[in-house]
Amino acid sequence: QVQLVESGGGLVQPGGSLRLSCAASGSIFSFNVMGWYRQAPGKERELVATITNSFTSDSRINYAGSTKGRFTISRDNAKNTVYLQMNSLKPEDTAVYYCNAVRQNIGYWGQGTQVTVSS
């Protein structure tokens, strides 16, 4: 059974930074793609960033336009963990952030972690 556990959310002032972590229950090598999504109140869940897993080439990374240049996704294979470094946070980044992993066309979700950007 796949388990994804997010951590690192919280309250931060505009312009501040947070780092989210997503710890997987097994090796992240088994996942074709891992990523972060977010859902703000009254809105649909949207892509934040994804990172592919590859043994033979550099991982491909994709960012949503609104986060490009401010957010950085990375992974630590030894720790089976994917990170999302968020800088220059804005009030519109306020949302529940979810970790996602895809293996053999099946998607898995974590329980989410709340990020609130407010002064």
Side-chain angles (χ1 to χ4, degrees), residues 88-103:
S88 302
L89 283 162
K90 305 175 181 179
E92 50 263 43
D93 294 319
T94 295
V96 177
Y97 284 70
Y98 296 92
C99 180
N100 173 265
V102 177
R103 182 174 66 196

Side-chain angles (χ1 to χ4, degrees), residues 66-86:
S66 61
T67 64
K68 194 174 295 185
R70 298 188 298 124
F71 292 7
T72 303
I73 188 171
S74 62
R75 73 173 195 266
D76 185 333
N77 294 332
K79 295 182 178 180
N80 296 321
T81 300
V82 174
Y83 302 99
L84 184 69
Q85 177 66 44
M86 305 186 294

